[in-house]
Amino acid sequence: MAANMYRVGDYVYFENSSSNPYLIRRIEELNKTANGNVEAKVVCFYRRRDISNTLIVLADKHAREMEEEMENSEMVDLPEKQKHQLRHRELFLSRQLESLPATHIRGKCNVTLLNETESLKSYLEHEDFFFYSLVYDPQQKTLLADKGEIRVGNKYQADIVDLLKEGEDDGRDQSKLETKVWGAFNPLIDKQIDQFLVVARSVGTFARALDCSSSVRQPSLHMSAAAASRDITLFHAMDTLHKNVYDISKAISALVPQGGPVLCRDEMEEWSASEANLFEEALEKYGKDFTDIQQDFLPWKSLTSIIEYYYMWKTTDRYVQQKRLKAAEAESKLKQVYIPNYNKPNPNKINVNVKPGMVNGTGAQAQNMGAGRACESCYTAQSYQWYSWGPPNMQCRLCASCWTYWKKYGGLKMPTRLDGERPGPNRNNMSPHGASLRNGGSPKFAMKTRQAFYLHTTKMTRLARRLCRDILRPWHAARLPYMPINSAAIKAECTARLPEASENPLLLKQVVRKPLEAVLRYLEFHPCPLKPDPTKRLSGSLNSVPCSKFAPVINNGSPTILGKRSYEQHNGMDGTMKKRLLMPSKGTKSKLTAQWEIIPNKGPVNPWWHLASSEKEEDELD
């Protein structure tokens, strides 16, 4: 029951796709929609596979810097497999919020801020444990170090001097180490000091009455008196009294110099109402991250001014009202939600009990082709359940344990060749088209791949080729691949002729092929003649035509696009080739164009490469 109860602040897995890894989120709010469903407002965490390669290089550089700062670095001693799995435990915090259905929650996990004093092996020893040290901005595509790191180490500690012995004099000059701003043992009594402070407040109220900007902000006398009673006025009064050696008459004269009364204002008075609203909006978004507040909302304010205003703002009624409103909203919202275990079957689940059907089929029949393949992650050949993984044409699969690892950590247990040598027989991470796979994730090709298929000829089809040779005409159909064939009629005719054909079986003709030594000997005594250079033969005719009138177009493209090619050209036959310059027909007004056409030689065909095309030899080649 407790494992299925999810509360605000929990780190959970969300499933947005049956084949992709889980999303890792932190629950900020649980809201009930109008139709009765529960939505979770969550903070997004990103994996290494979710960010660009440029940012991954920055993350690796930051990790190396942290290793150098650590006194006992463990990354050097870790084997390659554990380094690979440790990268799956690294996350990147973001400020992005999103709302997801609570029914998509698939379990809990733990996410902590990485500390230099923590052992990295502890994350591998515990399941569902992750860490983060950088903040990722999905809009700006940037990585920044988190501001909440704890500075632990010798370089962050103060140097403690030895304790002075009793009666030993300290040789340091105390005036250089500190500044005295108030003397506790002074000739004034507390009543005289309080009276001087009242005079200082009165001078501050009068100074605000003379100041035009202050009269606009505090139009009433009551507001001006309240502003003059703030701590900034009292600090200035006590500092003035200390500078005048606690002489009240001199201190009062210093409060009202020749130019007029001194006006002391703190950050609460310096900030306008619009700036205060911007600060409250930024505080709602970033919290107490004053650096981000300054960069995104108040760049004209100094960091010291923003921090000072924050602690003064916490003493106002505005802060108390917002705190009460948030408490009331929290009371009306859900504190926790119960999500039962998700028991629906995964579409990537391979049904091992499916009967083998047509190999080039779809659905469960195509999934059965992966039977016998090892797991792509741990290379085991036995598992109580298998799951299809990667593109369908790759026919990769994962065992139940590696599938759970893939869903939780977003990678495979063993490193790919992008991370290091991957053990295992005949394993590589290259696609059939030469495109590399994605690091630590499912294969992702740089080009669009074709769907692989395999045509398996049945025995009935083989019999139909022989019995219905007059109807099917295989060689004629091969030369015309787009001509439709009535397979139903051929099948019916084959079924009708089958009883009669079983009484008179076909006799296959024995074909005696010459040995390879005889072929090599013939090629040795009959070498191929050199092909003449066609450019020298036609140079005179080409030079006679001016270049401004035409531009020759030589067809170097695909033969299927430019036109038909002869049998000798398709099979690489040797022989002299004639070339002619094609001229436009008479009566056309188009510009003169030139095109090369290859005309095969009309000489005798090499008998060694002659293929039978008669009906008699069709049986031998079938």
Side-chain angles (χ1 to χ4, degrees), residues 533-546 550 581 596:
D533 192 357
T535 57
K536 296 181 179 179
R537 186 189 308 174
L538 299 174
S539 59
S541 61
L542 288 177
N543 294 333
S544 62
V545 182
F550 74 95
L581 188 64
W596 294 104

Side-chain angles (χ1 to χ4, degrees), residues 58-89:
L58 294 178
D60 294 338
K61 181 180 178 182
H62 180 265
R64 288 192 296 269
E65 292 176 355
M66 292 187 64
E67 292 176 22
E68 294 175 359
E69 294 178 1
M70 295 172 63
E71 298 178 358
N72 298 323
S73 178
E74 298 180 348
M75 288 295 292
V76 181
D77 302 332
L78 289 178
E80 191 65 29
K81 179 181 178 181
Q82 291 187 354
K83 289 182 180 179
H84 170 73
Q85 295 181 358
L86 194 62
R87 296 188 185 98
H88 299 158
R89 305 300 182 98

Side-chain angles (χ1 to χ4, degrees), residues 40-56:
K41 188 177 181 181
V42 295
V43 176
C44 301
F45 286 83
Y46 292 88
R47 306 178 189 266
R48 293 174 66 94
R49 67 192 304 272
D50 300 327
I51 65 177
S52 62
N53 293 331
T54 306
L55 297 181
I56 290 179

Side-chain angles (χ1 to χ4, degrees), residues 190-419:
D190 294 343
K191 184 178 181 180
Q192 292 176 322
I193 296 175
D194 293 338
Q195 290 174 346
F196 178 77
L197 294 178
V198 172
V199 173
R201 294 193 191 97
S202 303
V203 172
T205 306
F206 179 65
R208 283 168 175 79
L210 297 178
D211 185 61
C212 297
S213 60
S214 298
S215 61
V216 175
R217 296 178 182 179
Q218 294 97 17
S220 63
L221 178 63
H222 176 74
M223 296 177 64
S224 299
S229 301
R230 298 185 64 83
D231 293 340
I232 188 66
T233 304
L234 301 182
F235 291 158
H236 175 68
M238 297 178 71
D239 185 50
T240 303
L241 193 61
H242 176 73
K243 289 181 179 179
N244 290 276
V245 199
Y246 303 98
D247 188 345
I248 294 181
S249 59
K250 293 182 180 180
I252 292 176
S253 301
L255 289 177
V256 188
Q258 187 176 1
V262 177
L263 177 60
C264 299
R265 290 187 297 194
D266 55 10
E267 296 297 333
M268 291 298 296
E269 290 186 78
E270 291 288 347
W271 287 44
S272 63
S274 59
E275 291 175 340
N277 293 333
L278 283 175
F279 175 79
E280 292 178 0
E281 182 182 351
L283 196 67
E284 182 71 20
K285 181 178 181 180
Y286 293 126
K288 293 192 295 183
D289 196 341
F290 300 113
T291 304
D292 290 345
I293 292 176
Q294 180 193 22
Q295 291 177 354
D296 297 343
F297 285 86
L298 299 166
W300 60 89
K301 294 288 185 181
S302 64
L303 193 61
T304 305
S305 175
I306 294 175
I307 296 174
E308 185 178 349
Y309 178 82
Y310 168 75
Y311 286 102
M312 291 183 178
W313 174 78
K314 290 185 69 174
T315 62
T316 60
D317 295 337
R318 178 75 174 173
Y319 170 76
V320 177
Q321 292 175 3
Q322 289 192 1
K323 196 173 182 179
R324 290 175 180 175
L325 288 175
K326 288 184 178 180
E329 291 178 0
E331 287 294 331
S332 61
K333 293 179 180 179
L334 298 176
K335 302 294 187 304
Q336 58 186 9
V337 62
Y338 176 79
I339 306 296
N341 293 328
Y342 187 76
N343 297 322
K344 293 183 179 180
N346 193 296
N348 296 275
K349 191 175 182 180
I350 299 177
N351 192 356
V352 296
N353 297 324
V354 174
K355 296 181 179 181
M358 295 178 61
V359 184
N360 59 340
T362 57
Q365 295 174 347
Q367 290 183 353
N368 198 32
M369 289 183 62
R373 295 176 64 93
C375 175
E376 293 294 324
S377 179
C378 63
Y379 317 118
T380 183
Q382 296 180 355
S383 177
Y384 67 91
Q385 184 59 57
W386 294 94
Y387 296 86
S388 61
W389 177 81
N393 60 313
M394 295 294 293
Q395 300 177 7
C396 303
R397 64 177 187 170
L398 297 177
C399 63
S401 175
C402 295
W403 177 258
T404 304
Y405 186 92
W406 158 255
K407 294 290 286 185
K408 287 186 176 181
Y409 305 112
L412 302 181
K413 292 182 180 180
M414 301 300 294
T416 62
R417 292 188 186 271
L418 297 179
D419 301 317

Side-chain angles (χ1 to χ4, degrees), residues 454-491:
Y454 171 65
L455 294 178
H456 181 70
T457 307
T458 61
K459 293 183 178 180
M460 182 63 69
T461 305
R462 297 176 184 176
L463 288 174
R465 291 176 181 173
R466 306 297 183 103
L467 299 180
C468 304
R469 185 169 50 189
D470 54 339
I471 303 176
L472 181 59
R473 301 176 64 191
W475 279 63
H476 181 70
R479 295 189 186 97
L480 300 174
Y482 298 104
M483 183 185 69
I485 297 176
N486 192 350
S487 58
I490 295 175
K491 184 177 180 180

